[in-house]
């Protein structure tokens, strides 16, 4: 008994040491398809303007008027990452929406059904948006290990700076979050 206790405590310590969230820059995507492009101050899409305040000075963008489905069924960013622990996750993204016709992506994780991400009404500023938006909604259940996350073109005029996957229900990202990993795990 006296021998077991420290061992159990050590195990509990190991379990809680698994990070409860990961953070990565959108521009570290494993792959992208135009018209979704990586933007920096010296690499701005024609007809667009550089938006200050992005983490790392870079972000992904589908330029306004670049086109959106169903007329144009192109434009995505694919991310690959590893989770140290399984659980119910909240997907957060730091985004900059042009307006009410430019405020969403279609998101898919692994082989799960795609879902609508965004459609909130904060425009022309960097802001954190999450899914699921309410606690009573079905959570994103993810196992430990490798996952694939895809942000697809649903509307143009959208920018994507950082992505967080968190299993802390009370955690809310503020401003720029320190990146803990990349979106292109090999
Ligand atoms: Ca960024």
């Amino acid at each position: 008994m006296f021998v077991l206790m420290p061992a159990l405590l050590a195990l509990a310590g190991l379990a809680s040491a698994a990070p409860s969230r990961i953070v990565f820059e959108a521009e570290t995507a494993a792959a992208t398809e135009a018209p979704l492009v990586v933007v920096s101050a010296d690499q701005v899409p024609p007809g667009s303007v550089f938006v200050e305040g992005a983490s790392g000075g870079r972000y992904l963008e589908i330029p306004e008027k670049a086109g959106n489905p169903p007329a144009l069924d192109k434009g995505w960013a694919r991310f690959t990452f590893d989770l140290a622990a399984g659980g119910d996750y909240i997907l957060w993204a730091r985004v900059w929406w042009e307006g009410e016709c430019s405020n969403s992506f279609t998101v898919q994780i692994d082989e799960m059904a795609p879902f609508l991400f965004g459609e909130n009404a904060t425009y022309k500023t960097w802001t954190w948006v999450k899914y699921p938006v309410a606690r009573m909604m079905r959570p994103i259940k993810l196992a430990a290990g490798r996952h694939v996350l895809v942000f697809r073109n649903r509307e143009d005029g959208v920018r994507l700076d950082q992505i967080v996957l968190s299993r802390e229900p009370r955690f809310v990202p503020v401003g720029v979050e320190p990146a803990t990993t990349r979106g292109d795990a090999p």
Side-chain angles (χ1 to χ4, degrees), residues 1 18 21 26 45 59 77 88 99 130 142 145 152 165 172 180 183-184:
M1 201 61 179
R21 64 176 178 265
Y59 53 83
D88 290 350
K130 69 174 176 176
L142 296 175
R152 286 184 197 286
L165 278 149
V172 176
T180 65
D184 60 351

Side-chain angles (χ1 to χ4, degrees), residues 116-137:
L116 170 63
F117 186 88
E119 290 275 89
N120 59 304
T122 303
Y123 308 134
K124 296 185 186 294
T125 186
W126 291 112
T127 184
W128 284 99
V129 177
K130 69 174 176 176
Y131 181 93
V133 294
R135 281 199 196 179
M136 65 277 282
M137 290 171 68

Side-chain angles (χ1 to χ4, degrees), residues 53-161:
S55 174
R58 289 172 185 267
Y59 53 83
L60 302 181
E61 176 178 357
I62 301 174
E64 180 80 325
K65 300 189 173 68
N68 44 248
L72 177 76
D73 194 18
K74 286 180 178 292
W76 47 259
R78 185 173 72 243
F79 305 93
T80 50
F81 57 88
D82 295 306
L83 294 176
D88 290 350
Y89 277 84
I90 297 169
L91 170 66
W92 289 92
R94 191 168 190 255
V95 297
W96 195 103
W97 305 135
E98 187 73 36
E100 63 180 342
C101 295
S102 303
N103 65 343
S104 69
F105 286 97
T106 299
V107 170
Q108 184 169 17
I109 302 178
D110 301 328
E111 302 304 317
M112 299 174 195
F115 55 88
L116 170 63
F117 186 88
E119 290 275 89
N120 59 304
T122 303
Y123 308 134
K124 296 185 186 294
T125 186
W126 291 112
T127 184
W128 284 99
V129 177
K130 69 174 176 176
Y131 181 93
V133 294
R135 281 199 196 179
M136 65 277 282
M137 290 171 68
R138 188 199 301 252
I140 304 172
K141 285 196 180 300
L142 296 175
R146 176 66 47 88
H147 296 279
V148 177
L149 167 68
V150 180
F151 274 68
R152 286 184 197 286
N153 182 0
R154 185 172 183 274
E155 298 178 296
D156 54 17
V158 294
R159 295 173 172 86
L160 179 61
D161 178 24

Side-chain angles (χ1 to χ4, degrees), residues 3 27 33 50 69 113 150:
V3 180
E27 61 270 22
E33 182 191 56
F50 182 68
V150 180

